[in-house]
Amino acid sequence: MPWWYPFGCIAFIVGGILIFLKPEWLWALTEQWKSYAADGPSDFYILSTKIGGVLFAVFGGVALVLPLFLT
C-alpha cells in the first residue's frame, strides 16, 4: 500500500463529513454564481448533497479498512 493511501482515505472521510454538515458551503462554491435570484440552496439540493456526503465518508471508511481484510 502506498504511503499516501491512508491520507487519501481520511481526506474522503473528512470531506464527506464536511459536505454532510455544511452543504450550504458546497452550494456557495459551486452553484451560487450560476443564478442572480437564488438566495440559498433548495431543500432537494441539501438532501441530495447530504446523501452524497454520507456516501463519500462511507467510501473513505471502507477504502481505509479494506486492505486490512485483504492481506
Side-chain angles (χ1 to χ4, degrees):
M1 173 176 17
W3 64 269
W4 51 265
Y5 184 81
F7 297 110
C9 294
I10 291 170
F12 266 82
I13 294 169
V14 170
I17 292 170
L18 187 63
I19 289 171
F20 178 77
L21 294 176
K22 297 291 185 179
E24 300 85 13
W25 290 358
L26 186 65
W27 178 82
L29 287 172
T30 61
E31 304 294 330
Q32 185 178 18
W33 63 274
K34 296 177 185 177
S35 174
Y36 294 112
D39 57 348
S42 67
D43 292 337
F44 179 71
Y45 180 87
I46 291 174
L47 176 66
S48 61
T49 304
K50 285 188 174 209
I51 291 170
V54 168
L55 292 175
F56 240 66
V58 167
F59 173 76
V62 168
L64 187 62
V65 300
L66 194 60
L68 299 175
F69 294 109
L70 296 178
T71 56

